């Protein structure tokens, strides 16, 4: 049942190209335009949306954070991401023009369900991004956009995360398409790139030997930091969460720009730090800014584990290790950059002799508040 892999998590990591591909499948017409009739929300209603709130927990919330950058950029609709348990009790501002998008693999997370119910009571339009057919959250929502990752057994989410990000991209690109004009043209170009991502993930999965080795040598590590910026910021936090869950190691993800506002005090000789580097063509010179961050922490003795695009030579002087990912457009990078972090956590957990699929104290779906 594990398809020749030692653990479900490893199997599910390798199913990621398919999870992304299947989530895109059947959602475009022959002209390459997105068709989302399955939502059963009228175009008028969607065009009326003036604000989006994403509610989710854990890894699903990090998918939501990635989505915020992308959807705001593509549609210019303001997007807020709220942890579902915080949203429910913070007297949220919601109107009939608010689209509340919940993200949940299981469709049974009580915190997320309560947030959706509350949003509906307040009059919002609710869409569920969900991986489990017939589960509670889609039933309690106005509409559902299923992720097609297939059943996810390992407690730590991997392929569902990639499928969630993909579904949110689809939703954002669809809203951009509805806006028409240059929004639609830009969306069409991104969609083309998105269709190439499954092959790139497969290629990346074929080059993870060094990551596995690095993890093996780090079995005694007590703390790992993760830095990212822009869409790489939620990926840094996801990398840290995977490590906490699977290897019981203290791990923290930061926005790279925050470094000098505090976290840089944590850097001491030998401190391992993963840095998720934006592609060199990311707007606003963010690539250069993150390269400077690597330089700063390296100068203080950090062990820099750099995740960078193929061909990015600027990181070379400051990296102790470089993990290469295939190039893609800046917003889509998370579908690639998170993969080495998943593989790292998996192999560190294995090196410590821990139960990869069933980490202590955790349940696959959290059905209590
Ligand atoms: O089933 P859901 O997507 O609603 O679950 C949300 C979180 O509980 C889940 O992502 C959790 O953080 C995972 N253990 C992450 O690996």
């Amino acid at each position: 049942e594990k398809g020749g892999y030692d653990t479900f998590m490893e199997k599910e990591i390798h199913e990621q190209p398919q999870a992304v591909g299947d989530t895109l499948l059947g959602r475009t017409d022959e002209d390459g335009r997105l068709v989302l009739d399955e939502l059963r929300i009228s175009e008028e209603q969607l065009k009326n949306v003036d604000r989006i709130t994403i509610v989710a927990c854990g890894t699903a919330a990090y998918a939501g954070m990635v989505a915020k950058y992308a959807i705001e950029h593509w549609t210019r609709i303001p997007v807020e991401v709220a942890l579902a348990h915080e949203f429910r009790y913070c007297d949220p501002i919601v109107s009939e023009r608010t689209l509340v998008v919940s993200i949940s693999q299981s469709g049974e997370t009580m915190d997320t369900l309560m947030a959706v119910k509350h949003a509906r009571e307040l009059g919002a339009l609710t869409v569920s991004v969900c991986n489990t057919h017939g589960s509670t959250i889609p039933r309690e929502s106005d509409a559902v956009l299923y992720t097609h990752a297939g059943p996810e057994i390992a407690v730590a989410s991997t392929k569902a995360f990639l499928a969630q990000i993909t579904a949110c991209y689809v939703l954002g690109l669809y809203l951009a398409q509805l806006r028409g004009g240059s929004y639609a043209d830009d969306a069409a170009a991104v969609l083309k790139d998105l269709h190439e991502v499954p092959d790139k993930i497969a290629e990346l999965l074929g080059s993870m030997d060094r990551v596995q080795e690095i993890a093996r040598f780090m079995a005694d590590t007590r703390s790992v930091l993760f830095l990212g910026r822009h869409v790489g910021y939620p990926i840094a936090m996801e990398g840290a969460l995977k490590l906490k869950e699977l290897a019981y190691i203290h791990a923290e993800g930061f926005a790279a720009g925050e470094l000098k506002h505090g976290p840089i005090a944590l850097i001491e000789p030998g401190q391992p730090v993963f840095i998720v580097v934006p592609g060199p063509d990311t707007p606003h010179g963010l690539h250069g800014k993150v390269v400077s961050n690597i330089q700063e922490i390296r100068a203080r003795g950090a062990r820099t584990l750099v995740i960078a695009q193929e061909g990015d030579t600027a990181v070379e002087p400051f990296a102790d290790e470089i993990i290469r990912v295939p190039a893609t457009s800046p917003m889509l990078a998370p579908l690639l950059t998170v993969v080495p972090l998943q593989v790292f956590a998996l192999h560190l957990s294995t090196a410590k002799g821990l139960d990869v699929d069933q980490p202590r104290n955790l349940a696959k779906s959290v059905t209590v508040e």
Side-chain angles (χ1 to χ4, degrees):
E1 51 177 2
K2 292 180 192 148
Y5 294 101
D6 292 338
T7 59
F8 281 109
M9 186 186 176
E10 191 174 8
K11 172 172 178 269
E12 289 160 6
I13 286 174
H14 283 85
E15 287 170 346
Q16 296 188 113
Q18 195 178 350
V20 172
D22 286 353
T23 300
L24 293 173
L25 200 69
R27 289 180 164 149
T28 38
D29 64 15
E30 60 267 26
D31 301 326
R33 287 172 58 83
L34 285 163
V35 183
L36 290 188
D37 295 345
E38 61 193 292
L39 277 183
R40 288 188 304 231
I41 300 180
S42 71
E43 289 193 5
E44 291 328 300
Q45 256 178 310
L46 285 173
K47 280 184 183 160
N48 194 37
V49 167
D50 68 355
R51 176 187 173 128
I52 297 173
T53 300
I54 299 177
V55 293
C57 303
T59 289
Y62 296 142
M65 285 180 67
V66 170
K68 172 188 161 76
Y69 289 91
I71 299 175
E72 285 189 338
H73 182 71
W74 293 333
T75 67
R76 308 312 293 155
I77 299 170
V79 182
E80 176 200 2
V81 187
L83 292 169
H85 35 89
E86 288 295 320
F87 173 89
R88 172 64 187 86
Y89 301 108
C90 75
D91 204 1
I93 300 168
V94 163
S95 79
E96 309 79 68
R97 298 186 66 184
T98 309
L99 181 68
V100 171
V101 179
S102 65
I103 307 177
S104 175
Q105 187 288 129
S106 61
E108 301 295 347
T109 300
M110 184 57 81
D111 289 317
T112 309
L113 175 63
M114 298 292 277
V116 170
K117 284 188 171 173
H118 189 54
R120 262 188 117 178
E121 279 160 18
L122 295 173
L125 190 60
T126 54
V127 174
S128 152
V129 170
C130 185
N131 198 46
T132 311
H133 282 258
S135 57
T136 310
I137 296 172
R139 269 193 278 122
E140 295 286 338
S141 304
D142 296 302
V144 52
L145 186 62
Y146 281 110
T147 48
H148 295 151
E152 192 179 64
I153 310 291
V155 165
S157 185
T158 55
K159 63 176 180 172
F161 178 61
L162 267 70
Q164 285 161 352
I165 294 175
T166 305
C168 289
Y169 287 156
V170 165
L171 184 62
L173 293 170
Y174 183 67
L175 293 172
Q177 186 179 290
L178 287 181
R179 294 203 94 168
S182 64
Y183 291 100
D185 296 343
D186 293 348
V190 177
L191 191 60
K192 221 168 134 258
D193 290 346
L194 184 53
H195 276 106
E196 290 170 7
V197 170
D199 283 349
K200 292 180 181 177
I201 302 170
E203 179 192 328
L204 177 60
L205 284 168
S207 65
M208 288 290 97
D209 290 358
R210 182 62 192 150
V211 174
Q212 190 170 335
E213 249 169 50
I214 297 171
R216 220 180 302 127
F217 291 134
M218 284 175 66
D220 295 331
T221 304
R222 297 176 59 88
S223 147
V224 182
L225 304 179
F226 296 77
L227 294 179
R229 192 156 188 158
H230 192 251
V231 287
Y233 167 38
I235 296 307
M237 293 202 285
E238 170 63 3
L241 179 62
K242 288 285 93 90
L243 204 57
K244 290 173 201 167
E245 289 190 292
L246 291 159
Y248 317 152
I249 289 177
H250 175 255
E252 257 190 279
F254 300 107
E258 274 294 290
L259 253 188
K260 57 185 169 304
H261 300 288
I264 198 161
L266 290 170
I267 305 296
E268 54 189 15
Q271 170 68 50
V273 185
F274 275 94
I275 306 101
V276 181
V277 183
D281 51 352
T282 307
H284 313 300
L286 289 182
H287 171 263
K289 292 181 195 296
V290 174
V291 173
S292 300
N293 292 141
I294 308 175
Q295 192 174 0
E296 284 156 15
I297 58 171
R298 183 78 171 328
R300 289 164 177 79
R303 178 154 181 256
T304 53
L305 310 163
V306 175
I307 300 178
Q309 261 189 14
E310 271 156 19
D312 178 355
T313 51
V315 297
E316 283 165 10
F318 317 114
D320 289 302
E321 296 282 350
I322 305 183
I323 300 151
R324 294 287 180 189
V325 298
T328 185
S329 47
M331 288 297 174
L332 307 184
L335 294 174
L336 296 159
T337 52
V338 76
V339 173
L341 300 181
Q342 298 167 336
V343 172
F344 175 73
L346 162 76
H347 287 290
L348 197 45
S349 173
T350 309
K352 291 180 76 168
L354 301 174
D355 186 339
V356 169
D357 288 333
Q358 289 284 345
R360 69 183 179 199
N361 307 341
L362 294 173
K364 182 60 182 162
S365 67
V366 184
T367 53
V368 290
E369 248 196 286

